[in-house]
């Protein structure tokens, strides 16, 4: 819900058209308009790449960042306007551009931008970058990339000294691993030679996080260990490959062990009380299911669009769609798959009983999906999504103001802005 449509007199025409179409077999048009809802005021805007589950002093929270701030809310705060940064003190200023040097701050790019948030059972991690001006291209480009760690017991104490960097990009630094960015001469883009992934499980003891670094055609993996140096991780067993690729991009807890996959998007039906019995992995537009720890995942449905995110509820699997490589977004949106009596996704999609498809049209990429309590049916669960789009508003029906965090709350009964 990051973009808002401006409808005034056009709304009268649409209402008239809908009333006319209902007599000509066009009931879906009228049905879609009736599912439009009054938008909530947007409180969390911007591109949000992740929603991290964190346990702080036995309390469950969700943490997000829109690049400038680190925000959190209680997982039980099932209402609009609950996100806050109260008690959080970061060791850097938000990224901004200073046009005039002062006694306290130089000219140019200042501060750091938060690129990604993830956690394990004891620590929260922030991937950040500061920027410099590239005169050759006339743009700001990443200068130094940082990976910060803070104990979850300290994250809300308001003490910025509790954060420490655990990696470096300095070539002569003895610590490893190094986080480096390089320029792709073919595309003139600056790319990162590393990435992060985590299990983000509902149960705190099942949360773990990893760093992967590409080096001379191979990939080296590291387990994040809080504020200690990451340790090398060899992934040889429990490896599930749907894409016939060599890189691992995800980890999930299934049954009683961690599993790794080359799939970018994975979800399980784990709840706060029970381990997962079903896992779903995405490969492009095809979904695979895993119900036996000793078997390989098997394909069960093709969604028709690239899968960008997944989330289980007790009675459904939500599928976020969209491609990051297209010049503009036309294959995004959201789909719904019902679960059978054993909790296994069926091989066909089902209609929504709420306004999800009318808020999340094919013009939006569903970057993340998260069900706060997967033991609850979809209609009774609190669910979160972050959306964005590629291209200009003129090339799609998306609007800039919709980019950000959205939520579904049972008491509200619809998807709306956070």
């Amino acid at each position: 819900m990051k973009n808002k449509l401006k409808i005034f007199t056009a709304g009268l025409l649409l209402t008239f058209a809908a009333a006319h179409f209902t007599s000509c077999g066009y009931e879906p048009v009228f049905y879609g308009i009736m599912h439009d809802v009054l938008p909530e005021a947007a409180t969390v805007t911007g591109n949000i790449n992740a929603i991290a589950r964190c346990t702080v002093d036995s309390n469950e929270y969700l943490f997000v960042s829109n690049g400038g701030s680190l925000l959190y809310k209680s997982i039980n705060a099932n209402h609009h306007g609950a996100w806050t940064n109260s008690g959080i003190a970061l060791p850097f200023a938000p990224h901004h551009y200073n046009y005039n040097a002062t006694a306290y701050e130089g000219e140019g790019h200042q501060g750091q931008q938060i690129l990604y948030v993830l956690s394990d059972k004891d620590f929260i991690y922030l991937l950040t970058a500061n920027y410099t001006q590239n005169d050759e291209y006339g743009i700001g480009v990443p200068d130094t990339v940082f990976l910060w760690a803070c104990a979850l017991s300290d994250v809300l104490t308001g003490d910025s000294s509790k954060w420490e960097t655990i990696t470096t990009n300095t070539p002569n630094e003895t610590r490893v691993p190094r986080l480096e960015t390089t320029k792709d001469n073919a595309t003139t883009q600056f790319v990162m030679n590393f990435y992060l992934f985590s299990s983000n499980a509902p149960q705190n003891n099942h949360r773990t996080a990893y760093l992967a670094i590409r080096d001379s055609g191979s990939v080296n993996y590291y387990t994040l260990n809080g504020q200690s140096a990451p340790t090398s991780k060899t992934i040889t067993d429990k490896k599930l490959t749907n894409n016939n690729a060599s890189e691992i991009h995800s980890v999930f807890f299934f049954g009683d062990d961690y599993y790794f996959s080359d799939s970018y998007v994975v979800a399980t039906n784990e709840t706060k009380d029970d381990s997962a019995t079903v896992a779903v992995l995405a490969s492009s537009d095809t979904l695979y299911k895993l119900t036996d720890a000793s078997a390989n995942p098997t394909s069960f449905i093709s969604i028709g669009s690239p899968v960008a995110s997944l989330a289980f509820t007790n009675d459904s699997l939500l599928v976020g769609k969209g491609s990051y490589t297209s010049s503009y977004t036309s294959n995004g949106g959201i789909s719904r798959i019902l679960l059978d009596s054993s909790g296994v996704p069926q091989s066909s999609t089902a209609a929504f009983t709420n306004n999800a498809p009318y808020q999340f049209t094919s013009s939006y990429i569903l970057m993340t999906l998260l069900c706060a309590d997967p033991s609850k049916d979809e209609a009774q669960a609190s669910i979160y999504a972050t959306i964005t789009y590629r291209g200009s508003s003129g090339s799609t029906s998306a609007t800039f103001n919709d980019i950000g965090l959205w939520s579904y709350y049972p008491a509200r009964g619809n998807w709306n802005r956070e």
Side-chain angles (χ1 to χ4, degrees):
M1 249 196 205
K2 272 196 174 182
N3 299 338
K4 295 180 181 177
L5 295 174
K6 294 182 179 179
I7 301 176
F8 184 57
T9 55
L12 299 176
L13 297 176
L14 287 173
T15 303
F16 173 79
H20 176 72
F21 287 156
T22 52
S23 64
C24 303
Y26 287 89
E27 286 83 355
V29 176
F30 182 74
Y31 183 76
I33 294 172
M34 292 301 293
H35 273 68
D36 195 15
V37 297
L38 185 67
E40 299 271 15
T43 61
V44 186
T45 62
N47 285 310
I48 299 167
N49 297 313
I51 305 173
R53 297 179 183 266
C54 298
T55 301
V56 181
D57 299 330
S58 301
N59 297 310
E60 291 297 314
Y61 295 93
L62 301 176
F63 280 75
V64 301
S65 177
N66 57 2
S69 301
L70 181 61
L71 304 169
Y72 70 95
K73 69 177 294 188
S74 168
I75 203 167
N76 298 317
N78 302 315
H79 59 86
H80 181 74
W83 294 92
T84 180
N85 62 357
S86 176
I88 294 179
L90 297 177
F92 50 84
H95 172 253
H96 60 284
Y97 193 89
N98 187 25
Y99 289 93
N100 298 299
T102 68
Y104 306 100
E105 189 174 66
E107 183 182 354
H109 290 277
Q110 304 294 325
Q112 297 178 29
Q113 180 184 19
I114 302 174
L115 305 177
Y116 199 71
V117 181
L118 71 164
S119 67
D120 57 23
K121 67 184 186 68
D122 296 314
F123 286 83
I124 185 170
Y125 305 93
L126 301 182
L127 180 68
T128 70
N130 62 14
Y131 291 83
T132 186
Q133 193 70 16
N134 184 286
D135 294 332
E136 180 182 359
Y137 297 104
I139 58 174
V141 298
D143 181 35
T144 306
V145 181
F146 307 87
L147 185 56
W148 296 89
C150 180
L152 287 168
S153 58
D154 294 327
V155 70
L156 301 182
T157 62
D159 187 349
S160 62
S161 69
K162 298 297 184 179
W163 292 86
E164 291 187 13
T165 54
I166 57 176
T167 56
T168 178
N169 78 332
T170 305
N172 296 325
E173 177 68 59
T174 57
R175 289 184 301 165
V176 291
R178 294 203 310 267
L179 303 184
E180 298 176 324
T181 59
T182 56
K183 186 181 74 172
D184 185 335
N185 292 323
T187 63
T188 68
Q189 293 180 335
F190 286 79
V191 297
M192 296 179 177
N193 68 342
F194 59 89
Y195 56 92
L196 296 151
F197 58 97
S198 65
S199 56
N200 207 32
Q203 295 184 37
N204 188 43
N205 287 335
H206 296 167
R207 294 173 192 161
T208 186
Y210 299 89
L211 167 67
I213 295 184
R214 299 183 178 96
D215 183 17
S216 302
S218 63
V219 182
N220 299 316
Y221 302 96
Y222 300 84
T223 303
L224 298 187
N225 299 305
Q227 294 178 339
S228 300
T231 54
S232 180
K233 171 71 175 179
T234 300
I235 301 174
T236 56
D237 57 355
K238 308 296 185 184
K239 182 178 178 181
L240 306 175
T241 56
N242 289 322
N243 306 322
N244 296 318
S246 58
E247 292 187 1
I248 295 296
H249 288 283
S250 59
V251 58
F252 58 98
F253 197 88
F254 184 80
D256 58 1
D257 204 353
Y258 289 104
Y259 287 74
F260 296 87
S261 173
D262 61 342
S263 297
Y264 286 89
V265 185
V266 176
T268 76
N269 66 344
E270 178 180 305
T271 68
K272 61 183 179 180
D273 298 316
D274 297 309
S275 293
T277 58
V278 181
V280 172
L281 307 91
S283 175
S284 185
D285 66 344
T286 302
L287 294 180
Y288 296 74
K289 60 185 176 183
L290 180 68
T291 57
D292 183 351
S294 63
N296 289 322
T298 57
S299 61
F300 67 96
I301 189 173
S302 176
I303 295 296
S305 294
V307 176
S309 55
L310 294 166
F312 269 94
T313 72
N314 185 57
D315 61 352
S316 67
L317 175 70
L318 301 181
V319 184
K321 299 177 291 187
S323 170
Y324 294 99
T325 59
S326 301
S327 58
Y328 67 94
T329 304
S330 62
N331 51 10
I334 190 169
S335 293
R336 179 179 188 241
I337 300 173
L338 297 179
L339 309 182
D340 65 19
S341 58
S342 299
V344 178
Q346 300 179 11
S347 57
S348 60
T349 59
F352 279 89
T353 58
N354 55 52
N355 64 331
Y358 305 101
Q359 300 288 22
F360 308 136
T361 67
S362 60
S363 295
Y364 294 101
I365 301 172
L366 271 287
M367 303 175 72
T368 66
L369 280 166
L370 184 143
C371 177
D373 185 355
S375 68
K376 294 183 177 180
D377 287 348
E378 182 183 342
Q380 302 305 317
S382 293
I383 313 170
Y384 300 90
T386 66
I387 69 173
T388 190
Y389 67 92
R390 289 185 60 84
S392 65
S393 296
S395 63
T396 72
S397 62
T399 59
F400 180 78
N401 291 334
D402 279 344
I403 300 176
L405 184 61
W406 293 67
S407 62
Y408 172 90
Y409 295 127
R412 190 174 60 199
N414 62 65
W415 281 93
N416 215 309
R417 278 304 303 265
E418 274 290 271

